[in-house]
Amino acid sequence: DGGITQSPKYLFRKEGQNVTLSCEQNLNHDAMYWYRQDPGQGLRLIYYSQIVNDFQKGDIAEGYSVSREKKESFPLTVTSAQKNPTAFYLCASTPRQGAPWTEGYTFGSGTRLTVV
Amino acid sequence: AQSVSQHNHHVILSEAASLELGCNYSYGGTVNLFWYVQYPGQHLQLLLKYFSGDPLVKGIKGFEAEFIKSKFSFNLRKPSVQWSDTAEYFCAVIHFGNEKLTFGTGTRLTIIP
């Protein structure tokens, strides 16, 4: 079945350590997105990428980094510069430019990151 | 910048009650609107969407939403809720020419059997 795989489902890290969250899709989608979900704050956009080797900052990019070396993969690194990294992280994708307008997103099942 | 408001943070209803969840957006131009649902332990999935035509949109599982342009609203409704509707519901908007959805803060719905 086609879909978006986020791994791991739960991740624990010590404060000050960088951590990378995986997002892989086999939908042949061009665009991929990272959102952060916090209680009472909804989903906030961290980064997005519409093509390989290109990405743009979202509303809350500080303390995060991404890469898009392959169409299927869009890993997110939460760096030690992120002040409050504990959250639920969601990856999403869309088929092509213009697809968000008509189709919205397909989401992965998320990774819950806890920094202690 | 566009924004989406969902004023109901947590709604608790008994089974068979009617549901209406509010969603208001700030952008005054041409928009498309979505409702997503996140059942406990599951990924977000599309409930329904509006992008033109009849302002009353029907979605999965008996949900519907009405787009009222003059009120910048896209409220979600269901005549009779079930225990299985317990979930978090997110409204989202995208304006013409944009490639990103903007989400509301979500409404947690709890249905009491």
Side-chain angles (χ1 to χ4, degrees):
Chain A
D1 286 338
I4 300 175
T5 300
Q6 290 188 244
S7 60
K9 192 170 183 177
Y10 298 96
L11 192 54
F12 295 87
R13 279 295 181 269
K14 289 185 178 178
E15 195 171 339
Q17 289 182 335
N18 291 356
V19 60
T20 297
L21 281 59
S22 169
C23 177
E24 304 276 333
Q25 53 99 357
N26 60 2
L27 300 166
N28 199 33
H29 283 182
D30 287 339
M32 298 183 74
Y33 304 76
W34 274 106
Y35 281 83
R36 170 180 170 141
Q37 183 180 0
D38 296 282
Q41 297 195 58
L43 280 68
R44 293 179 291 166
L45 182 64
I46 304 172
Y47 268 99
Y48 67 106
S49 167
Q50 293 181 283
I51 56 171
V52 174
N53 292 322
D54 189 42
F55 46 83
Q56 288 77 41
K57 291 182 179 180
D59 301 317
I60 56 165
E62 187 176 347
Y64 299 98
S65 65
V66 293
S67 63
R68 187 89 187 274
E69 297 176 2
K70 298 186 298 181
K71 186 174 182 178
E72 314 83 66
S73 179
F74 190 41
L76 173 74
T77 297
V78 184
T79 75
S80 57
Q82 168 51 232
K83 295 286 187 280
N84 185 20
T86 294
F88 189 55
Y89 291 88
L90 286 164
C91 181
S93 69
T94 60
R96 72 200 77 79
Q97 191 170 1
W101 172 249
T102 55
E103 301 174 34
Y105 299 153
T106 298
F107 281 93
S109 54
T111 293
R112 187 166 298 280
L113 173 65
T114 303
V115 175
V116 295
Chain B
Q2 59 191 17
S3 65
V4 180
S5 298
Q6 292 182 246
H7 300 294
N8 311 109
H9 298 296
H10 188 191
V11 173
I12 302 173
L13 294 172
S14 298
E15 274 194 317
S18 64
L19 169 72
E20 181 160 3
L21 301 183
C23 172
N24 289 88
Y25 63 95
S26 63
Y27 185 69
T30 303
V31 297
N32 282 355
L33 296 141
F34 304 82
W35 274 99
Y36 282 85
V37 60
Q38 187 176 37
Y39 296 106
Q42 296 188 29
H43 63 275
L44 271 89
Q45 53 187 285
L46 184 65
L47 202 53
L48 49 78
K49 61 183 178 183
Y50 169 83
F51 56 86
S52 67
D54 190 343
L56 185 61
V57 179
K58 295 194 184 299
I60 60 172
K61 304 188 181 187
F63 285 92
E64 64 179 33
E66 185 175 11
F67 173 50
I68 304 179
K69 191 173 181 180
S70 60
K71 295 185 178 181
F72 300 96
S73 71
F74 190 54
N75 292 354
L76 182 71
R77 302 195 293 245
K78 187 170 184 179
S80 176
V81 294
Q82 300 172 302
W83 178 79
S84 58
D85 294 324
T86 294
E88 189 151 20
Y89 293 80
F90 293 92
C91 181
V93 65
I94 184 170
H95 69 75
F96 184 71
N98 206 323
E99 293 292 322
K100 304 167 288 180
L101 270 65
T102 298
F103 288 83
T105 52
T107 296
R108 186 155 66 100
L109 176 65
T110 301
I111 306 300
I112 301 169

